[in-house]
Amino acid sequence: MRPSRRAPDELRPVSIERNVARYAEGSCLIKFGETHVLCTASLEEKPPAWLRGTGKGWVTAEYAMLPRATHERTRRESTSGKPSGRTQEIQRLVGRSLRAVVDLVRLGEKQITIDCDVLQADGGTRTASITGGFIALQECVRWMMERKMLTVSPIKDHVAAISCGISKGVAVLDLDYVEDSEAMTDANFVMTGAGGLVEIQGTAEGAPFSEAQFLEMLALARKGIGELVDLQKKAVA
Amino acid sequence: MRPSRRAPDELRPVSIERNVARYAEGSCLIKFGETHVLCTASLEEKPPAWLRGTGKGWVTAEYAMLPRATHERTRRESTSGKPSGRTQEIQRLVGRSLRAVVDLVRLGEKQITIDCDVLQADGGTRTASITGGFIALQECVRWMMERKMLTVSPIKDHVAAISCGISKGVAVLDLDYVEDSEAMTDANFVMTGAGGLVEIQGTAEGAPFSEAQFLEMLALARKGIGELVDLQKKAVA
Amino acid sequence: MRPSRRAPDELRPVSIERNVARYAEGSCLIKFGETHVLCTASLEEKPPAWLRGTGKGWVTAEYAMLPRATHERTRRESTSGKPSGRTQEIQRLVGRSLRAVVDLVRLGEKQITIDCDVLQADGGTRTASITGGFIALQECVRWMMERKMLTVSPIKDHVAAISCGISKGVAVLDLDYVEDSEAMTDANFVMTGAGGLVEIQGTAEGAPFSEAQFLEMLALARKGIGELVDLQKKAVA
Amino acid sequence: MRPSRRAPDELRPVSIERNVARYAEGSCLIKFGETHVLCTASLEEKPPAWLRGTGKGWVTAEYAMLPRATHERTRRESTSGKPSGRTQEIQRLVGRSLRAVVDLVRLGEKQITIDCDVLQADGGTRTASITGGFIALQECVRWMMERKMLTVSPIKDHVAAISCGISKGVAVLDLDYVEDSEAMTDANFVMTGAGGLVEIQGTAEGAPFSEAQFLEMLALARKGIGELVDLQKKAVA
Amino acid sequence: MRPSRRAPDELRPVSIERNVARYAEGSCLIKFGETHVLCTASLEEKPPAWLRGTGKGWVTAEYAMLPRATHERTRRESTSGKPSGRTQEIQRLVGRSLRAVVDLVRLGEKQITIDCDVLQADGGTRTASITGGFIALQECVRWMMERKMLTVSPIKDHVAAISCGISKGVAVLDLDYVEDSEAMTDANFVMTGAGGLVEIQGTAEGAPFSEAQFLEMLALARKGIGELVDLQKKAVA
Amino acid sequence: MRPSRRAPDELRPVSIERNVARYAEGSCLIKFGETHVLCTASLEEKPPAWLRGTGKGWVTAEYAMLPRATHERTRRESTSGKPSGRTQEIQRLVGRSLRAVVDLVRLGEKQITIDCDVLQADGGTRTASITGGFIALQECVRWMMERKMLTVSPIKDHVAAISCGISKGVAVLDLDYVEDSEAMTDANFVMTGAGGLVEIQGTAEGAPFSEAQFLEMLALARKGIGELVDLQKKAVA
């Protein structure tokens, strides 16, 4: 039995609320159980300097946690002088994942920044950030199309993400904080709506894991991401 | 007529929702119209190093804005390497204001950190932070008393804050962003429930202001803070 | 009786010596008793980037203390990596106060930086910095007019500043370090030669203060600033 | 045909030279073709602060490139003020991979730091760092056993790493810089001598990849890592 | 003829005024012509951490220029985030030079920090800092002896410093800014009262210099430092 | 007898291996006994901003030690946030020394950066860096001439450097780490092939040194640098 009494292949309750930030071109509040992430999309009329004149745009992401999103208060990164290695790793992952479904030429010389701010953290903040970040991005594109800034959407497919782990020898889907702390193996998967793999990150926390275990986690992820993509579609319907 | 069609002495709609952060010892979401601030209180068992052995505790505050709380996205302070002068000025003000109503000896050798994170900004974020920060602090004290960590509350009185300004020659209460941008004079007032003055900050943005104008603003502030203290009392009732 | 044996409404001996820095376009050494501040004005031919093309200039200020200006040596801010919150607060205040009496359009696309370096500190360094900074600014404008860089002075009025406090229940003018450490309330006032209010900052250090106490301090400040403006006029006569 | 004329499942020539740093407790110079990494192990008698009193030790890693290891000179990270996100990601990966084969209780309250300094970079620097870092670690343990600081080795198994990619539709092993720049998918695998999986990182650079492609890369990695472990064994024989 | 009309072996007018900083344990204002340096000595009851328990004390120095000490305003180092290479080089030199004449065991477990703040700069700021820093140090020792913190002075000899250069082919003493900018070779010498060499730094700015030229500069320095030591003795008489 | 059993005027075995870095325009690995420095030259098509439009180029240097180049591991400067004072002092010295033999007008508007990375440190790293840095620079110029980017070499002479010291009262040449730690006086000399002096830095570590001792060291340096220049010539023959 999982600590949350969920079945091994069961997601936490997921909700996606659009249009929560008055000033952003796109936004949503996504909840994976007790993990809550506010995602906003901000449009800039110019791409980063290294893309000027290429006809291509850019999608990037930033990630942070409020200091008391967690059980113990964590120090603000503005106070410690720089984003931690973990923060940088996550925001690079979110940016890469979103760019995998965007046609940057079709976007044109613009930049969209997706900010993922974790209001409350109970495990899985990076996968919620990718899944919710996609909605904020999509809303931003809709906003641009309504204003005739784009005639064809540069978004090629959905993208979503979920974590899996080996907990007490069993492969399980969508770990919360308690499960994540105990799991021997922790893996994050990012896939498109069509089922293509965008990113795989698997880490043995204790003993190494086997290929069979890895394939079990991959199958769970495929199921979970399918459900998340359905929820994304409902959210914007 | 004010841009918001409010009377000169009229606050924006104010709401205070307690207990919004699962892990914090105290929290609230306070709204002054379209300005929304999430306030949390975090208890630490030890005071800062310079108070150890004195029998006294400490209350401190940190303040930040989400990057897209504002009309234009602002850069994260973790990226620019340090909190800006404005951020430091505000967090020092919030901390001083809250300490003005706390008996630090009665609190004992502990520290309470109030985090004020602006989710959406439409003027008056520092006054909303003080007013909401008080609620988070009060909730934290209640949490400590329920656990017998304190037998008598160290909170001596309420504290709340509001801005005033001279807009088109008229003194007005609780400026929103549009009004704040145009006002010739901008003042912030912090007062206790008993009406004592804790902090006054008045700044001429263009022409100097007169003593008469200042006294008009002070009278408006007294009325507004009285209403805010009533709302604080209702919120925890 | 005040520790310095002054009457409640008595300034410390104030002196202003002009033309003390060989290379600066304007300078003075101002003394409020044992508080000594070296103020210099540096002219730059270009305004900050955000003003280029607007026809307007800028006046800004920087503030620092020598490490052994104080009773105990303080660490250099170049060593700690950044100006402290207190330093930033003061230099923003000095800059705002000086700009209140300058017509930035008449100044034209130039920048004047006022550096206020505290050689010795005995309370009131920010008010001495504003009062002396005005003289450095005025000297710089005279230097520019002598060189036909300006035909009409952009300075519209004098500006000066003084602190007041409630010490042992009595309102007193121009606190020195000892008095400042003990005062229950500390307030800084910035006014023009014509008596207009530019900035008011009042802070309760212990118990809140009353409106009556505040008005007593305001009256003292008005008297003290009047005397300072007279001294400014004599210094440049 | 690969740019290097290698077969799809062929490693670059790999060499491992031990004992290259006079002062380090363990060291090697590892070459994967034109990628050259100097790995040293430094023993400290104390573990990091958060492990003191637990009876456990720690193994950590740092990674850097010499400025002219690359085609174009890159700026030193000491000049830019902090390690980049990429650097931090790699050194966290190297540390985790090495700890996966160390019994930290058997190591006892000590810390071993593995420094991986890239003298020349032609792709695959992180996989060479893990593979060579293991040798430096093993040499350090041998040094400790010779001095009776340890009676039983805390090293439980070998660990090595290799990259794979999908290049022109074909899965290939051990990408050099040219191939890496063009590959549509890039994956890094870390495995133990017994074949257990320690870390998997797969990233779609352009189009998403399929499960079949991923399994092809995994099979290549298994073959390559087997060969690297054999080379590790020969190097210390 | 030198730009200042001095003879090749002639110092600028030098003055040393003691006891200029009210709170410091020792201080002086030293002038080498238009170069003015405020030197203070600050006593700390504890040596730096690495000397605790050794019975030895430490003398260290810090150096800075006010932003408008120079012809053009220079940026504050607190703003640029760190002391420049030049600043660090000078403060290391000043500290080493002063320690050369102090018996650190006789000083005991204390630290004296010499702050050298350049109020006005016209060349030779580092040599004025050493020469004046010695006076501040000596005053601090006198202060300690008056309070019976020391019974025997730890100061073993005088120390002073001067610059020399090759200007238009001729060796000259004590370069001012104009001469320094044009000189082909620039050298700084630090010597004790007894004539021992403490530090020599000679740099070819354009063409290399010959041994004969170097010896000429050394002879000039010996003469100049002799005069400075006499002035140091008079200043404290 | 010296710890290394060398005669007082005897260099350590010196070797210079050219062309060790595949991607750099010039490179060498220089060894002064157990001190090993990898020197590379990187050509940039543009000079630094302050030289643009002047027709002149620039030669600069950076210096660093690998963390385990030394007996005890030293912390990376990227981790501590900035290059140390010692590092900055050395890289300024190396740059100045190399520029002393380069005609910057003949180089034209380009920049050559010499990176000196100490792989192993046993005293004398700065002198080895200058001596080896010259070879990397010369190789870079040869590379440019082969590509017709220069028709006449801008290198005017050789430059090399060596340390001397007073050890147990005797002047000795080329100190290793053990000797350097014990020496009472430490001096570094930089000279051209023609015997001109470029830089002299002499420091009393304990007692001051005499002019006679200094001249002895200068004579030893002249002999040693003569031998180094011969080795430089052989290395590129």
Side-chain angles (χ1 to χ4, degrees):
Chain A
M1 179 66 92
R2 301 173 69 178
S4 57
R5 299 168 180 268
R6 283 183 285 147
D9 66 347
E10 188 181 347
L11 293 175
R12 287 177 283 180
V14 173
S15 72
I16 303 174
E17 184 187 354
R18 279 187 302 155
N19 203 17
V20 294
R22 185 178 179 83
Y23 306 119
E25 283 77 32
S27 68
C28 80
L29 175 63
I30 189 163
K31 299 185 180 175
F32 279 21
E34 292 294 339
T35 290
H36 304 174
V37 185
L38 179 60
C39 304
T40 60
S42 296
L43 175 69
E44 262 177 282
E45 290 297 321
K46 285 192 297 194
W50 51 275
L51 277 179
R52 296 200 184 136
T54 63
K56 290 174 68 174
W58 195 242
V59 174
T60 187
E62 295 196 4
Y63 168 96
M65 285 212 273
L66 293 198
R68 199 56 196 279
T70 44
H71 286 78
E72 304 291 317
R73 185 177 185 273
T74 49
R75 203 177 159 202
R76 280 176 199 272
E77 298 195 329
S78 60
T79 310
S80 60
K82 58 185 176 191
S84 71
R86 177 183 175 277
T87 291
Q88 291 187 56
E89 216 169 296
I90 294 175
Q91 57 198 16
R92 285 153 57 95
L93 169 65
V94 177
R96 273 199 315 271
S97 297
L98 296 176
R99 285 192 299 276
V101 294
V102 176
D103 182 329
L104 296 171
V105 173
R106 229 189 271 157
L107 175 59
E109 290 204 9
K110 284 159 178 43
Q111 172 161 293
I112 300 173
T113 301
I114 305 298
D115 284 291
C116 302
D117 285 274
V118 179
L119 304 185
Q120 197 169 284
D122 186 36
T125 62
R126 79 186 70 191
T127 54
S129 294
I130 293 166
T131 308
F134 174 77
I135 296 296
L137 174 64
Q138 203 177 31
E139 290 289 292
C140 179
V141 165
R142 176 205 298 251
W143 186 95
M144 293 167 77
M145 294 184 77
E146 284 169 4
R147 279 156 191 75
K148 312 289 182 213
M149 298 169 71
L150 290 170
T151 48
V152 184
S153 170
I155 298 181
K156 300 181 291 187
D157 197 351
H158 278 249
V159 68
I162 203 68
S163 73
C164 296
I166 305 295
S167 178
K168 297 171 191 150
V170 179
V172 292
L173 181 68
D174 188 20
L175 284 65
D176 59 24
Y177 179 76
V178 169
E179 230 167 9
D180 191 25
S181 314
E182 299 167 354
M184 294 303 280
T185 293
D186 180 20
N188 291 292
F189 296 88
V190 185
M191 297 189 202
T192 62
L197 286 155
V198 169
E199 188 96 23
I200 293 178
Q201 294 185 337
T203 300
E205 299 291 340
F209 55 95
S210 68
E211 196 167 321
Q213 286 176 318
F214 181 73
L215 293 175
E216 266 187 275
M217 292 192 289
L218 178 52
L220 286 179
R222 192 172 291 287
K223 172 176 179 293
I225 289 173
E227 292 170 22
L228 290 172
V229 170
D230 286 346
L231 287 163
Q232 286 178 332
K233 289 178 181 165
K234 270 183 211 140
V236 299
Chain B
M1 177 69 90
R2 302 174 68 178
S4 58
R5 299 168 179 266
R6 283 183 284 148
D9 67 347
E10 189 181 348
L11 293 176
R12 288 175 282 181
V14 174
S15 71
I16 302 175
E17 186 187 352
R18 280 188 302 153
N19 203 16
V20 296
R22 186 180 179 83
Y23 306 119
E25 283 76 31
S27 68
C28 79
L29 176 62
I30 189 163
K31 299 185 180 175
F32 279 22
E34 292 295 338
T35 289
H36 303 175
V37 185
L38 179 59
C39 305
T40 60
S42 297
L43 175 68
E44 262 177 282
E45 291 296 322
K46 285 192 297 194
W50 50 276
L51 276 179
R52 296 200 185 136
T54 64
K56 290 174 69 175
W58 195 241
V59 173
T60 188
E62 296 195 2
Y63 168 96
M65 283 212 274
L66 293 198
R68 199 55 197 278
T70 44
H71 286 78
E72 303 292 317
R73 184 176 186 273
T74 49
R75 204 179 158 200
R76 281 176 199 272
E77 298 195 329
S78 59
T79 311
S80 60
K82 58 184 176 191
S84 70
R86 178 185 173 277
T87 291
Q88 292 188 56
E89 216 169 296
I90 294 174
Q91 55 198 16
R92 284 153 58 94
L93 169 65
V94 177
R96 271 200 316 272
S97 298
L98 296 176
R99 285 193 299 276
V101 294
V102 176
D103 181 331
L104 296 171
V105 173
R106 229 189 270 157
L107 176 59
E109 290 203 9
K110 283 161 177 43
Q111 172 161 292
I112 300 174
T113 301
I114 305 298
D115 284 291
C116 302
D117 285 274
V118 179
L119 304 184
Q120 198 169 284
D122 186 35
T125 62
R126 78 187 70 190
T127 53
S129 294
I130 292 166
T131 308
F134 174 77
I135 297 296
L137 175 63
Q138 202 177 30
E139 290 289 293
C140 179
V141 165
R142 176 205 298 252
W143 186 94
M144 292 167 78
M145 293 184 78
E146 285 169 3
R147 280 156 191 75
K148 314 287 183 213
M149 297 169 73
L150 290 170
T151 48
V152 183
S153 170
I155 297 181
K156 299 182 290 187
D157 196 352
H158 277 250
V159 68
I162 201 69
S163 73
C164 297
I166 305 295
S167 178
K168 297 170 191 151
V170 179
V172 292
L173 180 68
D174 187 21
L175 284 63
D176 59 25
Y177 178 77
V178 169
E179 230 167 8
D180 192 24
S181 313
E182 299 168 353
M184 293 304 280
T185 292
D186 181 17
N188 291 292
F189 296 88
V190 185
M191 298 190 201
T192 61
L197 286 155
V198 169
E199 188 98 24
I200 293 178
Q201 294 184 337
T203 300
E205 300 290 340
F209 53 97
S210 67
E211 196 167 320
Q213 287 175 319
F214 181 73
L215 292 175
E216 266 187 274
M217 291 192 289
L218 179 53
L220 286 179
R222 192 173 291 287
K223 172 177 180 293
I225 289 174
E227 292 171 23
L228 289 173
V229 170
D230 287 346
L231 287 162
Q232 286 178 332
K233 287 177 182 166
K234 269 183 212 141
V236 299
Chain C
M1 179 66 92
R2 300 174 69 178
S4 58
R5 298 168 180 269
R6 283 184 283 147
D9 67 347
E10 190 181 347
L11 293 176
R12 288 175 284 181
V14 173
S15 71
I16 303 175
E17 187 186 350
R18 279 187 303 153
N19 203 16
V20 295
R22 188 180 178 83
Y23 305 120
E25 283 75 32
S27 67
C28 80
L29 175 62
I30 189 163
K31 299 185 181 175
F32 278 22
E34 294 293 340
T35 289
H36 304 174
V37 185
L38 180 59
C39 305
T40 60
S42 296
L43 175 67
E44 261 178 282
E45 290 297 322
K46 285 192 297 193
W50 50 276
L51 278 179
R52 295 199 187 137
T54 63
K56 290 173 68 175
W58 195 242
V59 174
T60 187
E62 296 196 4
Y63 168 96
M65 285 212 273
L66 292 198
R68 199 54 196 279
T70 44
H71 286 78
E72 304 290 317
R73 183 176 187 274
T74 49
R75 205 178 158 201
R76 280 175 199 273
E77 298 195 330
S78 59
T79 311
S80 59
K82 59 183 176 192
S84 70
R86 177 184 174 277
T87 291
Q88 290 187 56
E89 214 168 298
I90 294 174
Q91 56 198 15
R92 284 154 59 96
L93 169 65
V94 177
R96 270 200 317 269
S97 298
L98 297 175
R99 284 192 299 276
V101 293
V102 176
D103 181 329
L104 296 171
V105 173
R106 229 188 271 157
L107 175 58
E109 291 203 7
K110 284 162 177 40
Q111 172 160 292
I112 300 174
T113 301
I114 305 297
D115 284 291
C116 302
D117 285 273
V118 180
L119 304 184
Q120 198 169 284
D122 186 35
T125 62
R126 80 187 68 190
T127 54
S129 294
I130 292 166
T131 308
F134 175 76
I135 297 296
L137 175 63
Q138 204 179 29
E139 290 290 291
C140 180
V141 165
R142 176 204 298 250
W143 186 96
M144 292 167 77
M145 293 184 77
E146 284 168 6
R147 279 156 190 77
K148 313 288 182 213
M149 297 169 73
L150 290 171
T151 49
V152 183
S153 170
I155 298 182
K156 300 181 291 186
D157 196 351
H158 278 249
V159 69
I162 201 69
S163 72
C164 295
I166 305 295
S167 177
K168 297 171 191 149
V170 179
V172 291
L173 181 67
D174 188 20
L175 284 64
D176 59 24
Y177 179 76
V178 169
E179 230 166 10
D180 191 24
S181 313
E182 298 168 355
M184 293 303 281
T185 293
D186 180 18
N188 291 292
F189 296 88
V190 185
M191 297 190 200
T192 62
L197 287 155
V198 169
E199 188 98 22
I200 292 178
Q201 293 185 337
T203 301
E205 300 291 340
F209 53 96
S210 68
E211 196 167 319
Q213 286 175 319
F214 181 73
L215 293 175
E216 265 188 276
M217 292 191 290
L218 179 53
L220 286 179
R222 191 172 290 286
K223 171 178 180 293
I225 289 173
E227 293 170 23
L228 290 172
V229 169
D230 287 345
L231 287 162
Q232 286 177 334
K233 288 178 181 164
K234 271 182 211 142
V236 299
Chain D
M1 179 67 91
R2 300 173 69 176
S4 57
R5 297 167 181 272
R6 283 183 283 146
D9 67 347
E10 190 182 346
L11 292 176
R12 287 175 285 180
V14 173
S15 72
I16 302 174
E17 186 186 351
R18 279 189 302 155
N19 203 16
V20 295
R22 186 180 180 83
Y23 307 119
E25 283 77 30
S27 68
C28 80
L29 176 62
I30 189 162
K31 299 183 180 175
F32 279 23
E34 293 294 341
T35 289
H36 302 174
V37 185
L38 180 59
C39 304
T40 60
S42 296
L43 175 67
E44 262 178 281
E45 290 298 321
K46 285 192 297 194
W50 51 276
L51 277 179
R52 296 202 184 134
T54 64
K56 290 174 68 175
W58 196 243
V59 173
T60 186
E62 295 195 3
Y63 168 96
M65 285 213 273
L66 292 197
R68 199 54 196 278
T70 44
H71 285 79
E72 304 291 318
R73 184 176 185 274
T74 48
R75 204 179 160 200
R76 282 176 198 272
E77 297 194 331
S78 59
T79 310
S80 59
K82 59 184 176 191
S84 70
R86 179 185 172 274
T87 291
Q88 291 188 55
E89 214 169 298
I90 293 175
Q91 57 198 13
R92 285 154 57 97
L93 170 65
V94 177
R96 272 200 316 269
S97 297
L98 295 176
R99 284 193 300 275
V101 294
V102 176
D103 181 331
L104 296 172
V105 173
R106 230 189 270 157
L107 176 58
E109 290 204 8
K110 284 161 177 40
Q111 172 160 293
I112 300 173
T113 301
I114 305 298
D115 284 291
C116 301
D117 284 274
V118 179
L119 304 184
Q120 198 170 283
D122 186 35
T125 61
R126 78 188 70 190
T127 54
S129 294
I130 292 166
T131 309
F134 175 77
I135 296 295
L137 174 64
Q138 203 178 30
E139 289 290 292
C140 179
V141 165
R142 177 206 297 251
W143 186 95
M144 292 168 77
M145 294 185 77
E146 284 168 6
R147 279 155 191 78
K148 314 287 182 216
M149 296 169 72
L150 290 170
T151 48
V152 183
S153 171
I155 298 181
K156 299 181 294 188
D157 197 351
H158 278 249
V159 68
I162 201 70
S163 73
C164 296
I166 305 295
S167 177
K168 296 168 192 153
V170 179
V172 292
L173 182 67
D174 188 20
L175 283 66
D176 58 24
Y177 178 77
V178 170
E179 230 167 8
D180 191 24
S181 314
E182 299 168 354
M184 293 304 279
T185 292
D186 181 17
N188 291 293
F189 297 87
V190 185
M191 297 189 200
T192 63
L197 286 155
V198 168
E199 188 97 22
I200 292 178
Q201 294 185 336
T203 300
E205 300 290 339
F209 52 97
S210 68
E211 195 167 322
Q213 286 176 320
F214 181 73
L215 292 175
E216 266 188 274
M217 292 193 288
L218 178 53
L220 285 179
R222 192 172 290 289
K223 172 176 179 294
I225 288 174
E227 292 171 24
L228 289 172
V229 170
D230 287 346
L231 286 162
Q232 286 178 332
K233 288 178 180 165
K234 270 184 211 142
V236 298
Chain E
M1 178 68 91
R2 302 173 69 177
S4 58
R5 300 167 178 269
R6 282 183 284 148
D9 67 346
E10 189 182 345
L11 292 175
R12 287 176 283 181
V14 173
S15 72
I16 302 174
E17 185 188 352
R18 280 188 300 156
N19 203 16
V20 296
R22 186 179 179 83
Y23 306 119
E25 283 77 31
S27 67
C28 80
L29 175 63
I30 189 163
K31 299 185 179 175
F32 280 21
E34 293 294 340
T35 289
H36 304 174
V37 186
L38 179 60
C39 305
T40 59
S42 297
L43 175 67
E44 261 177 282
E45 291 297 322
K46 286 192 296 193
W50 51 277
L51 277 179
R52 296 202 185 135
T54 64
K56 290 174 67 174
W58 196 242
V59 174
T60 188
E62 295 195 4
Y63 167 97
M65 285 213 273
L66 293 197
R68 199 54 197 279
T70 45
H71 286 78
E72 303 290 318
R73 184 176 186 275
T74 49
R75 204 178 160 201
R76 282 175 198 272
E77 298 194 329
S78 60
T79 311
S80 59
K82 59 185 176 189
S84 71
R86 178 184 173 276
T87 290
Q88 291 188 55
E89 215 169 298
I90 293 175
Q91 57 197 16
R92 284 154 58 95
L93 170 64
V94 178
R96 273 200 315 270
S97 298
L98 296 175
R99 285 193 299 275
V101 294
V102 176
D103 182 329
L104 297 171
V105 173
R106 229 188 270 157
L107 175 59
E109 289 203 8
K110 284 160 178 41
Q111 172 160 292
I112 300 174
T113 300
I114 306 297
D115 284 291
C116 301
D117 285 275
V118 179
L119 304 185
Q120 197 170 284
D122 187 34
T125 61
R126 78 187 71 190
T127 54
S129 294
I130 293 166
T131 308
F134 175 76
I135 296 297
L137 175 63
Q138 203 177 31
E139 290 288 293
C140 179
V141 165
R142 177 205 298 250
W143 186 95
M144 292 167 77
M145 294 185 76
E146 284 169 4
R147 279 157 191 75
K148 312 289 182 212
M149 297 169 71
L150 289 171
T151 49
V152 184
S153 170
I155 298 182
K156 299 181 292 187
D157 197 351
H158 278 249
V159 68
I162 202 69
S163 73
C164 295
I166 305 295
S167 176
K168 298 170 190 150
V170 179
V172 292
L173 181 68
D174 188 20
L175 285 64
D176 59 24
Y177 178 76
V178 169
E179 232 167 8
D180 191 25
S181 312
E182 298 168 354
M184 294 304 280
T185 293
D186 180 19
N188 291 292
F189 296 88
V190 185
M191 296 190 202
T192 62
L197 287 154
V198 169
E199 188 96 23
I200 293 178
Q201 294 185 338
T203 301
E205 300 291 340
F209 53 96
S210 69
E211 194 167 321
Q213 287 175 318
F214 181 73
L215 292 176
E216 266 188 275
M217 292 192 288
L218 178 53
L220 286 179
R222 191 171 293 285
K223 172 176 179 293
I225 288 173
E227 292 170 23
L228 290 173
V229 170
D230 286 346
L231 287 163
Q232 286 178 331
K233 288 178 181 165
K234 270 184 211 141
V236 300
Chain F
M1 179 66 91
R2 300 174 69 177
S4 58
R5 298 167 180 270
R6 283 183 283 147
D9 68 346
E10 190 182 346
L11 292 176
R12 288 176 284 181
V14 174
S15 72
I16 303 174
E17 185 187 351
R18 280 189 301 154
N19 203 17
V20 295
R22 186 180 178 84
Y23 306 118
E25 283 77 30
S27 68
C28 81
L29 176 63
I30 189 163
K31 299 184 180 176
F32 280 21
E34 293 294 340
T35 289
H36 303 174
V37 186
L38 179 59
C39 305
T40 60
S42 297
L43 175 68
E44 261 176 283
E45 290 298 320
K46 286 192 296 193
W50 51 276
L51 277 179
R52 296 202 184 134
T54 65
K56 290 175 67 174
W58 195 243
V59 174
T60 188
E62 295 195 5
Y63 168 96
M65 285 212 272
L66 293 198
R68 198 55 195 279
T70 43
H71 286 79
E72 304 291 317
R73 184 175 186 275
T74 49
R75 202 177 160 200
R76 280 175 199 273
E77 298 194 331
S78 59
T79 311
S80 58
K82 59 184 176 191
S84 70
R86 178 185 173 276
T87 291
Q88 290 187 57
E89 214 169 298
I90 294 175
Q91 58 197 16
R92 282 152 60 95
L93 170 65
V94 177
R96 273 200 315 271
S97 298
L98 296 175
R99 284 192 299 275
V101 295
V102 175
D103 182 330
L104 296 171
V105 173
R106 230 188 270 156
L107 175 58
E109 290 203 9
K110 284 162 176 41
Q111 172 160 292
I112 301 174
T113 300
I114 306 297
D115 285 290
C116 301
D117 285 274
V118 179
L119 304 185
Q120 198 170 284
D122 187 35
T125 61
R126 79 186 70 189
T127 55
S129 294
I130 292 166
T131 309
F134 175 77
I135 296 296
L137 174 64
Q138 203 178 30
E139 290 289 293
C140 179
V141 165
R142 177 204 297 249
W143 186 94
M144 291 167 78
M145 294 184 77
E146 284 168 5
R147 278 156 191 78
K148 312 290 182 215
M149 296 169 72
L150 291 170
T151 50
V152 183
S153 170
I155 297 182
K156 301 181 292 187
D157 197 350
H158 277 248
V159 69
I162 202 69
S163 74
C164 296
I166 306 294
S167 177
K168 298 169 191 151
V170 179
V172 293
L173 182 67
D174 188 19
L175 284 65
D176 59 24
Y177 178 77
V178 170
E179 230 166 11
D180 191 26
S181 314
E182 298 168 354
M184 293 304 280
T185 293
D186 180 18
N188 291 292
F189 297 88
V190 185
M191 297 188 200
T192 62
L197 286 154
V198 169
E199 187 97 22
I200 292 178
Q201 294 184 336
T203 301
E205 300 289 340
F209 53 97
S210 68
E211 195 167 322
Q213 286 176 320
F214 181 73
L215 293 175
E216 266 188 274
M217 292 192 290
L218 178 53
L220 286 179
R222 192 172 290 286
K223 173 178 178 293
I225 289 174
E227 292 171 23
L228 289 172
V229 169
D230 286 348
L231 287 162
Q232 286 178 332
K233 288 177 180 165
K234 269 183 212 142
V236 299

